[in-house]
Amino acid sequence: MKKLLTLVFCLCALGAHAQDPNFYIFLCFGQSNMEGAARPEAQDLKSPGPRFLWMPAVDYPATDKLPARKMGEWTEAIPPLCRPNTGLTPADWFGRTLVASLPENIKIGVIHVAIGGIDIKGFLPDSISAYVKKAPGWMKGMLEAYNNNPYERLVTLAKKAQKDGVIKGILMHQGETNTGDPKWAGMVKQVYDNLCSDLKLKPEDVNLYAGNIVQAGGKGVCIGCKKQIDELPLTLHTSQVISSDDCTNGPDRLHFDAAGYRELGCRYGEAVARFLGYEPKRPHIDMPKRIEVPADAVTAETAIPGNEFPKVDKERRAYFRIQAPQARKVVVDICSKKYDMQPDGKGGFMAVTDPLPVGFHYYFMNIDGVNFIDPASETFFGCNRESGGIEIPEGPEGDYYRPQQGIAHGQVRSIYYHSPNSKFGEWRHALVYTPAEYELAKNAKKRYPVLYLQHGMGEGETSWAIQGKMQHIMDNAIASGEAVPMLVVMESGDIKQPFGGGNNQAGRSEYGATFYPVLLNDLIPYIDANFRTKSDRENRAMAGLSWGGHQTFDVVLQNLDKFAWLGTFSGAIFGLDVKTAYNGVFANADEFNKKIHYMYMNWGSDDFIKSGDIVKQLRELGIKVDSSESAGTGHEFLTWRRGLHEFIPHLFKK
């Protein structure tokens, strides 16, 4: 595109003001659908080449992709053809159709003057002065762009263009504003007659091509105008109506969408080609790739209520849809793969993924290089920010993390506590799960053990409750007798922010280590003071996923006087020398096994963090450690849900 607009227009392309009989010029005028209301897409912005030229009716400032373009100077016809910041018009693909249909020695030129919402009177010299005075405020800037006389601007440029070529036709798309006006056809004829007179055109050689309005299946906003446009040839015999049947439209049912403008433009071009004696040929148009959504696809449980998408089918493929009429490229990024979303020609984009692993997955959309959250998705804190997310459902095997009828349900409470030891402010937020029986009057004096449960890098204190479905896992396990009733405390752990580097060897961590004094000196005392807890080490456990597993090792193994139960799920524990780590805590297996009543580690079969080697080394030292590998899952919440489900039945039992 940078090489476009390098024509030396008058001298090189057209000769030194010598009229070229093979340079066919067309005048285009009208209101918003001639002005163009759809954003040009990639195929519209490709240069049509030097055979399709355009004489701007206003000056265009330079942009990062195109140089400045001057009013009255021929240049290659790249949208927007009306004014800066307008859209795709029928003229764009009209010219491309003629280039495809006519011999290669013929060039096409257009001059384009249009104003959204303008009455046909705005193109009558005798009426324009009074019309400008009464024009609404939003139209005044558009009128001023043409020095408050769009007809005069069109004629002035047309006379200049006649020095270079021959005017062969007039394209009009106007009428919506004059819907139901019985004088409209007569005024259109008056505009046409004025053009023929002022430009010395022979009507029998220069037709008026009038495009019809948006129909929207009979529900177009100005559908009443269709009949009067269809009947225009009864008043103006040199006019030809360009059908808009089945031309697609935008959601306003007033303007065409990009695909609709292409189709209508091609129809203008075909009509002109036939009048000129040539067999019409359509240029190549990239048609939207239609994505069929199977009948078995259901709306994802993570969609905001009221939205149809995202959807998931029985093959675990996800379907995403978004309305983004001004976007050029939209991508959905999920499970480490990016999918180009396909435009539907109506301002919408859609994509279907490969089959996805069951479980929960973060995802983002990207418009023209900028990541954002799908507005149809509930948000989940992950990836160091709020993210979109989708649940790919398991079968009945996933019932352990789904809410069940017929059982008592606990609560997840939001608390704020004061923390003098905090590096990031003295008031902090945490979530606390209390089992269903905690509220019963008969248990008013009963005390409960506590599990401190940490999330992973870039997630937050809500992650276990929302993405991990912790409360459902706890409710179901307690109701079935698998697990004893317990409290579960979840805190941010100072790892919501991106990884900060530094020394992060086991026991000497910097990332997230600011949480350790907060946990030990502020959070645990707060929980013990404000909830009915059993506050000794025998009734306190800690576990964490990913970097939360790293924190669990750092905290528990250096504070065995405060914890007796330990678990990691895909624990981010690297470079661990089990013989010397944490001041040799594993060196005396008998002593360690007496202090830690249960140690558990899990990971996914497709996980990039696996603990198998650590488990093997610990067992060789005589350390009792239970473990499991989650089949078919990676570094994701289904791995960690399974791990928590397997871990909690062993807690606080001796």
Side-chain angles (χ1 to χ4, degrees), residues 343-355:
D344 62 9
K346 300 181 180 181
F349 290 79
M350 195 167 181
V352 58
T353 69
D354 297 333

Side-chain angles (χ1 to χ4, degrees), residues 510-527:
E510 293 181 28
Y511 178 65
T514 52
F515 173 59
Y516 304 162
V518 171
L519 171 66
L520 298 171
N521 302 319
D522 300 324
L523 180 56
I524 290 176
Y526 176 89
I527 296 299

Side-chain angles (χ1 to χ4, degrees), residues 128-393:
I128 186 62
S129 179
Y131 186 81
V132 168
K133 291 179 181 178
K134 296 181 180 180
W138 54 263
M139 188 185 290
K140 290 188 180 297
M142 294 185 280
L143 287 164
E144 288 171 0
Y146 302 117
N147 199 27
N148 289 320
N149 196 327
Y151 177 84
E152 182 180 50
R153 179 65 55 85
L154 183 62
V155 169
T156 299
L157 295 179
K159 288 180 178 179
K160 183 176 183 180
Q162 283 180 308
K163 297 177 182 179
D164 303 317
V166 182
I167 294 176
K168 288 287 188 177
I170 302 170
L171 278 58
M172 181 188 79
H173 199 288
Q174 197 280 335
E176 293 94 336
T177 298
N178 294 88
T179 299
D181 185 349
K183 297 181 180 180
W184 176 78
M187 288 187 284
V188 171
K189 183 178 185 304
Q190 190 177 347
V191 174
Y192 173 78
D193 289 344
N194 288 341
L195 287 170
C196 289
S197 175
D198 290 339
L199 298 172
K200 297 179 174 55
L201 305 176
K202 295 180 179 180
E204 61 269 23
D205 295 334
V206 181
N207 275 351
L208 175 75
Y209 300 90
N212 223 314
I213 47 79
V214 165
Q215 298 185 46
K219 297 180 180 179
V221 172
C222 296
I223 193 66
C225 188
K226 182 180 184 301
K227 184 174 184 293
Q228 69 189 48
I229 295 176
D230 284 337
E231 294 177 351
L232 180 62
L234 299 178
T235 301
L236 180 59
H237 75 277
T238 54
S239 67
Q240 182 175 341
V241 176
I242 307 303
S243 171
S244 62
D245 291 357
D246 301 320
C247 287
T248 53
N249 56 274
D252 62 2
R253 294 182 288 112
L254 180 62
H255 299 100
F256 299 100
D257 57 22
Y261 283 118
R262 293 185 198 108
E263 176 61 29
L264 190 64
C266 288
R267 292 179 186 182
Y268 273 104
E270 290 168 338
V272 170
R274 291 189 186 98
F275 180 77
L276 295 174
Y278 298 99
E279 184 65 27
K281 296 179 183 178
R282 287 207 171 195
H284 173 75
I285 297 177
D286 294 330
M287 300 302 293
K289 296 179 181 178
R290 183 174 177 82
I291 295 176
E292 298 292 342
V293 181
D296 62 56
V298 297
T299 302
E301 66 178 72
T302 43
I304 294 173
N307 289 279
E308 182 183 1
F309 289 83
K311 283 188 167 184
V312 182
D313 68 16
K314 66 179 181 181
E315 302 298 328
R316 307 193 315 275
R317 290 184 293 254
Y319 299 80
F320 299 93
R321 187 173 70 187
I322 189 169
Q323 197 70 16
Q326 297 191 27
R328 296 183 180 178
K329 183 175 183 179
V330 185
V331 174
V332 62
D333 184 347
I334 184 170
C335 293
S336 302
K337 185 170 182 178
K338 293 180 173 64
Y339 298 86
D340 288 334
M341 300 188 75
Q342 303 300 322
D344 62 9
K346 300 181 180 181
F349 290 79
M350 195 167 181
V352 58
T353 69
D354 297 333
L356 299 173
V358 293
F360 175 86
H361 307 290
Y362 299 112
Y363 74 94
F364 290 97
M365 288 184 174
N366 183 293
I367 289 183
D368 298 336
V370 179
N371 273 353
F372 69 100
I373 303 170
D374 181 358
S377 169
E378 296 281 8
T379 56
F380 307 86
F381 193 88
C383 310
N384 307 113
R385 55 170 289 182
E386 293 291 343
S387 308
I390 188 169
E391 185 78 23
I392 306 300

Side-chain angles (χ1 to χ4, degrees), residues 38-57:
R39 186 184 181 104
E41 297 174 355
Q43 61 182 315
D44 308 310
L45 296 169
K46 295 177 182 176
S47 169
R51 287 185 60 209
F52 180 23
L53 305 178
W54 154 64
M55 181 182 282

